[in-house]
Amino acid sequence: DEDFDDTDLSKESEEIDDLVSETLAKIHAQQGRTKEALKMFKRLIEINSDKADHYQEQIDTLKKQKE
């Protein structure tokens, strides 16, 4: 007999919203969710300045496609 776990997962859910990755940004872009992809690439620049040029290229490409 398993007990029901009624732990409040809302805090964990909020943390998932903060999940940022290049792969997820690319998925957003492929799904036509350009705004989300741009936001994620901008956040990636803040997190990983070593790859800022690469992320900026992704942003520029998305903006051109949007026009």
Side-chain angles (χ1 to χ4, degrees):
D1 187 23
E2 294 182 29
D3 292 329
F4 178 73
D5 182 3
D6 63 349
T7 305
D8 182 2
L9 299 177
S10 60
K11 182 64 179 162
E12 288 181 38
S13 177
E14 289 173 17
E15 291 171 8
I16 290 172
D17 288 341
D18 291 337
L19 180 67
V20 177
S21 75
E22 182 174 0
T23 301
L24 190 53
K26 288 179 178 180
I27 290 170
H28 283 309
Q30 289 174 345
Q31 293 177 341
R33 301 178 69 196
T34 307
K35 184 177 177 181
E36 289 84 354
L38 289 169
K39 198 181 327 181
M40 195 162 288
F41 279 122
K42 289 175 184 176
R43 180 76 177 111
L44 284 165
I45 289 172
E46 295 172 11
I47 294 170
N48 187 355
S49 59
D50 292 343
K51 291 183 75 176
D53 290 343
H54 170 71
Y55 297 139
Q56 188 59 53
E57 287 176 13
Q58 300 295 318
I59 290 169
D60 294 343
T61 299
L62 282 172
K63 286 182 177 179
K64 285 178 188 171
Q65 291 174 354
K66 202 174 167 185
E67 292 174 356

